[in-house]
Amino acid sequence: LVKLPRSPTVDGILTKYLEYRVKKDNKISDSCAEVTKGLRCYFDKALPAMLLYKKEQKQYKEEIKGDVSPSTVYGAEHLLRLFVKLPELLSSVNMEEDALNKLQQKLLDILKFLQKNQAHFFLSAYDGDSKGADGAKGK
């Protein structure tokens, strides 16, 4: 299991992405802000419904209570799962082809941002990983 809350959270990652776009473009485009807002919303709704493994359900119920948004607790590992599901989710959305292409380009840009910052956003080990095998010493 990924220890929760993660740092940075999905909210934090999307905020960092917007800051990155501001530095690169000297402004935040409305469409960029809208895409990150939509991603956050999709993430919050999709996480309990389709992004968690069975063994993560209990952890979710313990961590997400009241009006706590999953995007303020979970991190990049679970955000990436949303990106895997997005083609399936977007196929049911009624959108003009031009708008869909623009959305895909923005999503690809966010994925590239995640990749560039993977050392900062993703864990290198998970809770429950073995911490080394003492019996593997050479003779």
Side-chain angles (χ1 to χ4, degrees), residues 95-106:
M95 192 182 271
E96 288 181 22
E97 192 174 335
D98 186 45
L100 187 59
N101 287 336
K102 286 178 181 172
L103 175 59
Q104 288 172 336
Q105 289 305 311
K106 295 238 183 286

Side-chain angles (χ1 to χ4, degrees), residues 3-91:
K3 278 193 178 195
L4 299 177
R6 281 287 287 119
S7 180
T9 62
V10 170
D11 265 354
I13 292 167
L14 294 175
T15 299
K16 286 181 191 312
Y17 173 73
L18 287 175
E19 290 167 359
Y20 158 78
R21 291 303 327 165
V22 167
K23 283 182 185 168
K24 197 167 181 181
D25 305 335
N26 293 325
K27 64 181 172 84
I28 296 178
S29 69
D30 289 344
S31 62
C32 196
E34 194 175 318
V35 168
T36 56
K37 183 179 175 187
L39 260 179
R40 187 177 287 113
C41 187
Y42 258 97
F43 180 83
D44 286 342
K45 298 269 190 258
L47 184 79
M50 64 175 61
L51 302 180
L52 294 174
Y53 298 131
K54 198 172 195 94
K55 62 185 178 185
E56 294 174 317
Q57 294 287 342
K58 182 181 174 204
Q59 183 189 39
Y60 173 84
K61 288 176 183 144
E62 291 167 358
E63 294 288 333
I64 306 300
K65 293 183 166 119
D67 11 333
V68 173
S69 297
S71 56
T72 64
V73 176
Y74 286 82
E77 296 78 14
H78 290 85
L79 179 59
L80 207 52
R81 293 182 195 175
L82 176 63
F83 275 92
V84 171
K85 294 281 189 183
L86 272 176
E88 176 188 329
L89 294 170
L90 290 174
S91 69

